[in-house]
PDB file of all heavy atoms in Angstrom:
ATOM      1  N   PHE A 149     223.073  53.020 188.383  1.00  0.00           N
ATOM      2  CA  PHE A 149     221.929  53.979 188.165  1.00  0.00           C
ATOM      3  C   PHE A 149     222.598  55.280 187.775  1.00  0.00           C
ATOM      4  O   PHE A 149     223.735  55.527 188.150  1.00  0.00           O
ATOM      5  CB  PHE A 149     221.067  54.033 189.313  1.00  0.00           C
ATOM      6  CG  PHE A 149     221.701  54.188 190.632  1.00  0.00           C
ATOM      7  CD1 PHE A 149     222.076  55.425 191.116  1.00  0.00           C
ATOM      8  CD2 PHE A 149     221.970  53.001 191.404  1.00  0.00           C
ATOM      9  CE1 PHE A 149     222.717  55.524 192.397  1.00  0.00           C
ATOM     10  CE2 PHE A 149     222.661  53.080 192.600  1.00  0.00           C
ATOM     11  CZ  PHE A 149     223.067  54.380 193.076  1.00  0.00           C
ATOM     12  N   THR A 154     218.762  58.338 192.995  1.00  0.00           N
ATOM     13  CA  THR A 154     218.241  56.993 192.798  1.00  0.00           C
ATOM     14  C   THR A 154     219.213  56.071 193.453  1.00  0.00           C
ATOM     15  O   THR A 154     220.362  55.907 193.080  1.00  0.00           O
ATOM     16  CB  THR A 154     218.085  56.575 191.304  1.00  0.00           C
ATOM     17  OG1 THR A 154     217.349  57.523 190.654  1.00  0.00           O
ATOM     18  CG2 THR A 154     217.532  55.214 191.191  1.00  0.00           C
ATOM     19  N   ALA A 178     227.777  56.662 179.864  1.00  0.00           N
ATOM     20  CA  ALA A 178     228.343  57.352 178.648  1.00  0.00           C
ATOM     21  C   ALA A 178     229.695  57.956 178.878  1.00  0.00           C
ATOM     22  O   ALA A 178     230.325  58.458 178.004  1.00  0.00           O
ATOM     23  CB  ALA A 178     227.309  58.447 178.216  1.00  0.00           C
ATOM     24  N   ALA A 181     235.528  57.348 181.507  1.00  0.00           N
ATOM     25  CA  ALA A 181     236.225  57.358 182.765  1.00  0.00           C
ATOM     26  C   ALA A 181     235.500  56.714 183.919  1.00  0.00           C
ATOM     27  O   ALA A 181     236.012  55.848 184.639  1.00  0.00           O
ATOM     28  CB  ALA A 181     236.573  58.739 183.212  1.00  0.00           C
ATOM     29  N   ASP A 192     238.784  44.281 190.782  1.00  0.00           N
ATOM     30  CA  ASP A 192     239.554  44.246 192.075  1.00  0.00           C
ATOM     31  C   ASP A 192     238.831  43.466 193.109  1.00  0.00           C
ATOM     32  O   ASP A 192     239.421  42.824 194.002  1.00  0.00           O
ATOM     33  CB  ASP A 192     239.806  45.638 192.587  1.00  0.00           C
ATOM     34  CG  ASP A 192     240.779  46.392 191.687  1.00  0.00           C
ATOM     35  OD1 ASP A 192     241.419  45.769 190.898  1.00  0.00           O
ATOM     36  OD2 ASP A 192     240.823  47.658 191.872  1.00  0.00           O
ATOM     37  N   GLU A 193     237.493  43.496 193.173  1.00  0.00           N
ATOM     38  CA  GLU A 193     236.713  42.913 194.246  1.00  0.00           C
ATOM     39  C   GLU A 193     236.379  41.418 194.011  1.00  0.00           C
ATOM     40  O   GLU A 193     236.316  40.619 194.878  1.00  0.00           O
ATOM     41  CB  GLU A 193     235.405  43.657 194.494  1.00  0.00           C
ATOM     42  CG  GLU A 193     235.651  45.108 195.057  1.00  0.00           C
ATOM     43  CD  GLU A 193     234.386  45.797 195.290  1.00  0.00           C
ATOM     44  OE1 GLU A 193     233.328  45.341 194.892  1.00  0.00           O
ATOM     45  OE2 GLU A 193     234.414  46.901 195.939  1.00  0.00           O
ATOM     46  N   ARG A 196     236.528  38.786 188.335  1.00  0.00           N
ATOM     47  CA  ARG A 196     236.009  38.360 187.041  1.00  0.00           C
ATOM     48  C   ARG A 196     234.591  38.931 186.843  1.00  0.00           C
ATOM     49  O   ARG A 196     233.978  39.500 187.789  1.00  0.00           O
ATOM     50  CB  ARG A 196     235.848  36.847 187.160  1.00  0.00           C
ATOM     51  CG  ARG A 196     234.848  36.175 188.136  1.00  0.00           C
ATOM     52  CD  ARG A 196     234.808  34.688 188.189  1.00  0.00           C
ATOM     53  NE  ARG A 196     234.243  34.131 186.979  1.00  0.00           N
ATOM     54  CZ  ARG A 196     235.023  33.468 186.071  1.00  0.00           C
ATOM     55  NH1 ARG A 196     236.246  33.229 186.204  1.00  0.00           N
ATOM     56  NH2 ARG A 196     234.456  32.852 185.003  1.00  0.00           N
ATOM     57  N   ASN A 202     223.766  45.025 179.185  1.00  0.00           N
ATOM     58  CA  ASN A 202     223.715  46.412 178.848  1.00  0.00           C
ATOM     59  C   ASN A 202     222.319  46.858 178.679  1.00  0.00           C
ATOM     60  O   ASN A 202     221.635  46.614 177.612  1.00  0.00           O
ATOM     61  CB  ASN A 202     224.485  46.706 177.592  1.00  0.00           C
ATOM     62  CG  ASN A 202     225.972  46.673 177.787  1.00  0.00           C
ATOM     63  OD1 ASN A 202     226.531  47.437 178.672  1.00  0.00           O
ATOM     64  ND2 ASN A 202     226.772  45.977 177.044  1.00  0.00           N
ATOM     65  N   LEU A 241     238.320  41.821 180.393  1.00  0.00           N
ATOM     66  CA  LEU A 241     238.285  40.821 181.476  1.00  0.00           C
ATOM     67  C   LEU A 241     237.808  39.433 180.932  1.00  0.00           C
ATOM     68  O   LEU A 241     238.388  38.444 181.297  1.00  0.00           O
ATOM     69  CB  LEU A 241     237.280  41.240 182.474  1.00  0.00           C
ATOM     70  CG  LEU A 241     237.618  42.485 183.322  1.00  0.00           C
ATOM     71  CD1 LEU A 241     236.448  42.944 184.214  1.00  0.00           C
ATOM     72  CD2 LEU A 241     238.824  42.227 184.274  1.00  0.00           C
ATOM     73  N   SER A 254     218.286  45.803 173.126  1.00  0.00           N
ATOM     74  CA  SER A 254     217.880  46.712 171.962  1.00  0.00           C
ATOM     75  C   SER A 254     216.381  46.995 172.148  1.00  0.00           C
ATOM     76  O   SER A 254     215.879  47.198 173.199  1.00  0.00           O
ATOM     77  CB  SER A 254     218.264  46.004 170.669  1.00  0.00           C
ATOM     78  OG  SER A 254     217.957  46.768 169.635  1.00  0.00           O
ATOM     79  N   GLY A 264     208.392  59.482 165.804  1.00  0.00           N
ATOM     80  CA  GLY A 264     208.652  60.148 166.993  1.00  0.00           C
ATOM     81  C   GLY A 264     209.775  59.803 167.757  1.00  0.00           C
ATOM     82  O   GLY A 264     210.146  60.206 168.841  1.00  0.00           O
ATOM     83  N   GLN A 265     210.470  58.687 167.303  1.00  0.00           N
ATOM     84  CA  GLN A 265     211.546  58.098 167.989  1.00  0.00           C
ATOM     85  C   GLN A 265     212.765  57.836 167.180  1.00  0.00           C
ATOM     86  O   GLN A 265     213.476  56.870 167.285  1.00  0.00           O
ATOM     87  CB  GLN A 265     211.093  56.785 168.689  1.00  0.00           C
ATOM     88  CG  GLN A 265     210.191  56.945 169.828  1.00  0.00           C
ATOM     89  CD  GLN A 265     210.084  55.609 170.765  1.00  0.00           C
ATOM     90  OE1 GLN A 265     209.775  54.585 170.046  1.00  0.00           O
ATOM     91  NE2 GLN A 265     210.229  55.752 171.970  1.00  0.00           N
ATOM     92  N   ASN A 267     215.726  59.147 167.268  1.00  0.00           N
ATOM     93  CA  ASN A 267     216.942  59.027 168.082  1.00  0.00           C
ATOM     94  C   ASN A 267     216.972  57.740 168.822  1.00  0.00           C
ATOM     95  O   ASN A 267     218.064  56.995 168.766  1.00  0.00           O
ATOM     96  CB  ASN A 267     217.081  60.207 169.076  1.00  0.00           C
ATOM     97  CG  ASN A 267     215.799  60.434 169.874  1.00  0.00           C
ATOM     98  OD1 ASN A 267     214.796  59.717 169.769  1.00  0.00           O
ATOM     99  ND2 ASN A 267     215.816  61.423 170.779  1.00  0.00           N
ATOM    100  N   GLY A 290     235.645  32.314 173.694  1.00  0.00           N
ATOM    101  CA  GLY A 290     234.587  31.843 174.505  1.00  0.00           C
ATOM    102  C   GLY A 290     233.494  32.806 174.966  1.00  0.00           C
ATOM    103  O   GLY A 290     232.792  32.584 175.876  1.00  0.00           O
ATOM    104  N   ILE A 301     206.802  46.775 176.502  1.00  0.00           N
ATOM    105  CA  ILE A 301     206.980  46.180 177.822  1.00  0.00           C
ATOM    106  C   ILE A 301     206.453  47.229 178.867  1.00  0.00           C
ATOM    107  O   ILE A 301     206.760  48.455 178.758  1.00  0.00           O
ATOM    108  CB  ILE A 301     208.405  45.858 178.222  1.00  0.00           C
ATOM    109  CG1 ILE A 301     209.057  45.011 177.155  1.00  0.00           C
ATOM    110  CG2 ILE A 301     208.463  45.281 179.558  1.00  0.00           C
ATOM    111  CD1 ILE A 301     208.324  43.634 177.013  1.00  0.00           C
ATOM    112  N   ARG A 325     198.530  41.004 174.628  1.00  0.00           N
ATOM    113  CA  ARG A 325     198.960  41.574 176.010  1.00  0.00           C
ATOM    114  C   ARG A 325     200.216  42.266 175.813  1.00  0.00           C
ATOM    115  O   ARG A 325     201.044  41.974 174.988  1.00  0.00           O
ATOM    116  CB  ARG A 325     199.029  40.439 177.048  1.00  0.00           C
ATOM    117  CG  ARG A 325     200.156  39.536 176.924  1.00  0.00           C
ATOM    118  CD  ARG A 325     200.318  38.697 178.196  1.00  0.00           C
ATOM    119  NE  ARG A 325     201.455  37.758 178.071  1.00  0.00           N
ATOM    120  CZ  ARG A 325     202.706  38.063 178.371  1.00  0.00           C
ATOM    121  NH1 ARG A 325     203.030  39.280 178.854  1.00  0.00           N
ATOM    122  NH2 ARG A 325     203.588  37.055 178.431  1.00  0.00           N
ATOM    123  N   ILE A 360     207.300  40.029 163.418  1.00  0.00           N
ATOM    124  CA  ILE A 360     207.542  38.628 163.076  1.00  0.00           C
ATOM    125  C   ILE A 360     208.427  38.611 161.807  1.00  0.00           C
ATOM    126  O   ILE A 360     207.993  39.257 160.809  1.00  0.00           O
ATOM    127  CB  ILE A 360     206.356  37.807 162.895  1.00  0.00           C
ATOM    128  CG1 ILE A 360     205.522  37.778 164.188  1.00  0.00           C
ATOM    129  CG2 ILE A 360     206.599  36.416 162.474  1.00  0.00           C
ATOM    130  CD1 ILE A 360     204.108  37.010 164.105  1.00  0.00           C
TER     131      ILE A 360
END
Side-chain angles (χ1 to χ4, degrees):
F149 45 86
T154 304
D192 289 345
E193 292 180 352
R196 63 185 294 111
N202 284 305
L241 293 170
S254 181
Q265 288 193 309
N267 50 0
I301 307 298
R325 72 168 178 88
I360 297 177

